[in-house]
């Protein structure tokens, strides 16, 4: 048995790659990642969300879950999300990497690429549906907690936020632990933090935060 | 329904849908798939998502195409062409001035060209002189067009760099580095002496002082600073320009705080000469 389904979700499983048990999703390859039949490796070294899922911080990516993904970049991670989940809205601010994101979306009819600024949800509230089940945020900008607060409006009351906090985006001179503490404090006005996990050494100075919205 | 991307269009028209996706504004989300079905815009949720997929990918593709059109390599060619046309125009204009026997005119050779083109030509040699002056004048006009284009395009290619350096200097720095990515990878000290390669190599061979600045000398913050403090001003400017290039290449968004930081740094550098102090940078 080389396969074990994660959280009972079809399309997300641990598979054997080069003799190692690794996370994988079912879908067409996007960035030259190793494949095994219909499965393709979801590398925790490249993807903060994969690292968070491997450490038990899965935000509930199920086959019918609506997902809003902030900071999609070239689509490496969001392509795996779309393999697993339902309608997936991928917000990215920079036009540079958008070409690769569009290429990933072409193969995935429920992945919607959006060139938008995650700090300005009003520019995509007319497109992204209300009550998504999962909000994933991986934006390298100052004020990451504020971005999560502003995007609370899209999340269902029983939904989950998975936030990859990058200390260096907030303040390169401060101790990451202090930066994380401040961000969690700000987050707590609208979110209840369920779990946190440092992603070192795979992703230096990153904290994965799993949270749910407060009523 | 107000602000919904599909509110005012036929979802079968992909171009209208793509621009609606790019321009939509609205405070809060709603159950768009449900509303679209309810309104009879689409038959069912699956059809809604198909239409949304077509519209969002078309909008994203259009944005990518726009970005590529505003590409840094073409800007580099434009600014090189600007310098080429000016150099060639000056060369022809000097010939015109010498031929016309008018080398002392105010405003240099370019001004001479403008007076010569209006001359009546009395013989064949005169006709050739006027013809040459017309060519030079045409090149000067082309140079002006190229400069206007560089000024317009540079802020879309490198918004922060263009804001800090001015569009033409931003384009020149990019050209000297080769492209925006190469500039973004350069340490600030290299940016500081870009365009002063001869002086730098003379220094490295050990028979000249290290150059304080390269092409950034044309920036008001260097040229307008007291010579005593010019090296500090050049270092401060180059540091911010290197950061701006990195943001432009890797992120692409505008960061107005960079200009504020630079203004403050330069103000502090200039205060020192105002106070008559010459303390070193911390």
């Amino acid at each position: 048995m080389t396969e074990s389904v994660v959280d009972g979700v079809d399309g997300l499983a641990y598979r054997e790659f080069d003799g190692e048990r690794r996370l994988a999703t079912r879908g067409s390859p996007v960035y030259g990642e190793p494949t095994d039949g219909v499965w393709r490796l979801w590398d925790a070294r490249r993807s903060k969300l994969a690292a968070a899922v491997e450490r038990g911080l899965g935000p509930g990516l199920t086959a019918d879950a609506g997902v809003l993904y902030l900071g999609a970049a070239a689509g490496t991670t969001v392509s795996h999300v779309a393999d697993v989940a339902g309608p997936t809205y991928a917000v990215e601010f920079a036009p540079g990497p958008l070409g690769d994101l569009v290429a990933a979306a072409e193969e995935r009819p429920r992945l919607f690429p959006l060139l938008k600024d995650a700090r300005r949800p009003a520019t995509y509230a007319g497109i992204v549906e209300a009550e998504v089940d999962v909000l994933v945020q991986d934006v390298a900008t100052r004020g990451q907690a504020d971005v999560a607060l502003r995007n609370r409006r899209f999340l269902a009351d029983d939904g989950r936020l998975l936030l990859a906090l990058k200390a260096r985006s907030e303040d390169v001179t401060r101790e990451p632990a202090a930066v994380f503490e401040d961000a969690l404090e700000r987050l707590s006005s609208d979110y209840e933090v369920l779990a946190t996990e440092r992603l070192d050494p795979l992703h230096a100075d990153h904290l994965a935060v799993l949270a749910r919205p407060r009523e | 329904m107000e602000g919904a991307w599909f509110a005012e269009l036929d979802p079968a028209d992909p171009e209208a849908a793509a621009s609606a996706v790019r321009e939509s504004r609205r405070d809060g989300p709603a159950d768009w798939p449900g509303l679209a079905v309810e309104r009879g815009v689409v038959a069912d949720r699956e059809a809604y998502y198909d239409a949304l997929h077509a519209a969002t990918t078309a909008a994203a593709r259009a944005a990518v195409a726009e970005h590529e059109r505003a590409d840094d390599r073409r800007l580099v060619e434009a600014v090189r062409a600007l310098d080429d046309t000016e150099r060639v125009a000056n060369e022809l204009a000097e010939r015109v001035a010498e031929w016309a026997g008018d080398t002392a005119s105010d405003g240099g050779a370019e001004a001479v060209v403008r007076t010569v083109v209006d001359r009546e030509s009395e013989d064949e040699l005169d006709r050739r002189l006027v013809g040459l002056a017309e060519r030079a004048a045409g090149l000067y006009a082309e140079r002006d067009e190229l400069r206007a284009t560089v000024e317009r395009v540079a802020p879309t290619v490198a918004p922060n760099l263009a804001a800090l350096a001015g569009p033409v200097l931003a384009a020149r720095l990019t050209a000297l580095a080769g492209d925006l990515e190469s500039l973004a990878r350069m340490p600030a000290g290299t940016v500081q002496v870009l365009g002063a390669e001869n002086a730098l190599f003379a220094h490295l061979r050990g028979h000249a002082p290290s150059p304080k600045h390269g092409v950034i000398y044309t920036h008001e913050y260097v040229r307008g600073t007291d010579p005593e403090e010019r090296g500090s001003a050049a270092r401060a400017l180059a540091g911010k320009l290197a950061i701006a290039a990195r943001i432009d290449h890797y992120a692409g968004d505008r960061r107005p705080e960079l200009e504020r930081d630079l203004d403050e740094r330069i103000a502090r550098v200039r205060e020192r000469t105002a106070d008559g102090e010459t303390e070193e940078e911390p």
Side-chain angles (χ1 to χ4, degrees), chain B:
Chain B
M1 284 292 278
E2 205 174 305
W5 68 276
F6 55 83
E8 280 161 34
L9 58 91
D10 171 6
D13 177 354
E15 226 159 88
S19 66
V21 162
R22 299 183 74 176
E23 283 149 30
S24 158
R25 293 286 180 281
R26 192 192 148 89
D27 261 1
D31 174 21
W32 301 127
L35 282 165
V37 175
E38 201 174 285
R39 290 288 178 100
V41 180
V42 285
D44 54 30
R45 293 179 76 93
E46 294 309 308
Y48 171 82
Y49 286 129
D50 289 343
L52 179 62
H53 189 260
T56 52
T57 50
R61 241 181 261 119
V64 170
E66 248 169 53
H67 174 71
E68 281 169 2
R69 276 198 297 276
D71 137 314
D72 57 325
R73 283 160 206 260
R74 292 168 68 209
L75 176 67
V76 162
E77 294 303 337
V79 77
R80 286 179 181 157
L82 163 62
D83 291 342
D84 288 347
T85 43
E86 178 156 86
R87 193 184 61 248
V88 175
N90 283 340
E91 210 167 301
L92 291 181
E94 272 160 35
R95 171 64 53 221
V96 167
E98 199 172 304
W99 190 346
D102 183 359
T103 48
S105 188
D106 287 345
E110 194 177 345
V112 176
V113 162
R114 260 182 258 127
T115 62
V116 172
V117 288
D118 293 332
R119 263 199 207 172
E120 292 290 319
S121 34
E122 284 158 18
D123 59 16
E124 193 184 342
L125 281 169
D126 266 352
R127 276 198 298 281
R128 295 279 56 81
L129 170 60
V130 172
L132 191 63
E134 279 166 356
R135 296 294 154 117
L139 280 175
Y140 281 124
E142 188 57 36
R143 174 204 61 185
D144 294 342
E145 293 291 327
L146 280 164
R147 180 176 292 137
T149 299
V150 167
E151 280 168 358
R152 211 164 33 241
V153 174
T156 67
V157 173
N160 292 294
L161 188 64
L164 259 61
V168 175
L169 178 55
R172 282 218 168 91
L173 288 166
T174 310
L176 285 165
D179 55 28
L180 188 57
E181 183 174 8
S182 309
L183 184 62
R185 289 169 182 271
M186 278 181 182
T190 307
V191 175
Q192 190 179 338
V193 295
L194 268 180
E197 284 74 14
N198 290 342
L200 182 65
F201 290 126
H203 165 66
L204 293 177
R205 281 194 302 269
H207 49 74
S210 74
K212 288 199 285 292
H213 38 62
V215 69
I216 64 167
Y217 175 75
T218 58
H219 197 283
E220 166 57 24
Y221 275 169
V222 179
R223 208 177 37 189
T225 296
D226 189 277
E228 194 85 336
E229 294 295 341
R230 225 171 248 167
S232 301
R235 192 162 67 243
L237 175 63
K240 294 298 173 194
L241 294 181
I243 293 168
R246 278 167 219 159
I247 294 169
D248 287 337
H249 178 68
Y250 294 107
D253 56 324
R254 272 286 276 127
R255 309 270 173 91
E257 65 270 19
L258 277 175
E259 281 155 271
R260 208 181 45 231
D261 292 352
L262 176 62
D263 292 347
E264 283 169 14
R265 283 291 308 275
I266 297 295
R268 259 182 284 140
V269 167
R270 288 183 174 179
E271 258 169 35
R272 285 187 226 144
T273 42
D275 300 346
E277 288 174 41
T278 51
E279 60 175 313
E280 248 322 291
E281 283 274 285

Side-chain angles (χ1 to χ4, degrees), chain A residues 22-207:
Chain A
R22 308 286 294 276
L23 206 55
T25 67
R26 205 156 39 197
S28 61
V30 171
Y31 49 90
E33 66 279 26
T35 55
D36 173 14
V38 295
W39 295 92
R40 59 193 191 102
L41 176 67
W42 189 10
D43 192 346
R45 283 186 288 260
R46 292 186 63 149
S47 167
K48 287 154 235 161
L49 180 57
V53 169
E54 282 192 353
R55 297 188 189 192
L57 265 64
L61 294 172
T62 58
D64 56 354
V67 180
L68 172 56
Y69 192 109
L70 305 172
T76 311
T77 296
V78 81
S79 68
H80 288 285
V81 171
D83 284 349
V84 179
T88 302
Y89 299 88
V91 170
E92 172 52 42
F93 183 69
L98 202 63
D100 292 334
L101 177 57
V102 172
E106 266 158 8
E107 306 278 318
R108 293 173 173 77
R110 295 298 174 260
L111 175 57
F112 313 113
L114 295 166
L115 179 67
K116 305 282 182 184
D117 183 349
R119 291 168 297 188
R120 298 172 60 215
T123 59
Y124 49 88
I127 302 157
V128 177
E129 63 193 80
E131 314 252 316
V132 297
D133 304 288
V134 178
L135 174 61
V136 181
Q137 181 184 319
D138 180 13
V139 296
T141 174
R142 216 170 196 174
Q144 294 167 92
D146 287 325
V147 171
L149 295 175
R150 277 184 219 167
N151 284 279
R152 158 70 180 90
R153 68 189 76 177
F154 296 99
L155 194 55
D157 289 339
D158 60 351
R160 291 289 182 273
L161 163 72
L162 194 285
L163 170 62
L165 262 178
K166 183 179 180 185
R168 297 180 60 85
S169 293
E170 298 293 331
D171 191 338
V172 289
T173 61
R174 281 181 69 203
E175 210 26 57
V179 173
F180 294 147
E181 199 175 309
D182 281 3
L184 291 175
E185 169 69 31
R186 273 196 74 67
L187 212 55
S188 67
S189 64
D190 282 18
Y191 289 97
E192 180 192 339
V193 173
L194 301 171
T196 64
E197 191 83 45
R198 285 288 286 260
L199 295 180
D200 309 60
L202 298 181
H203 304 278
D205 298 335
H206 277 81
L207 183 74

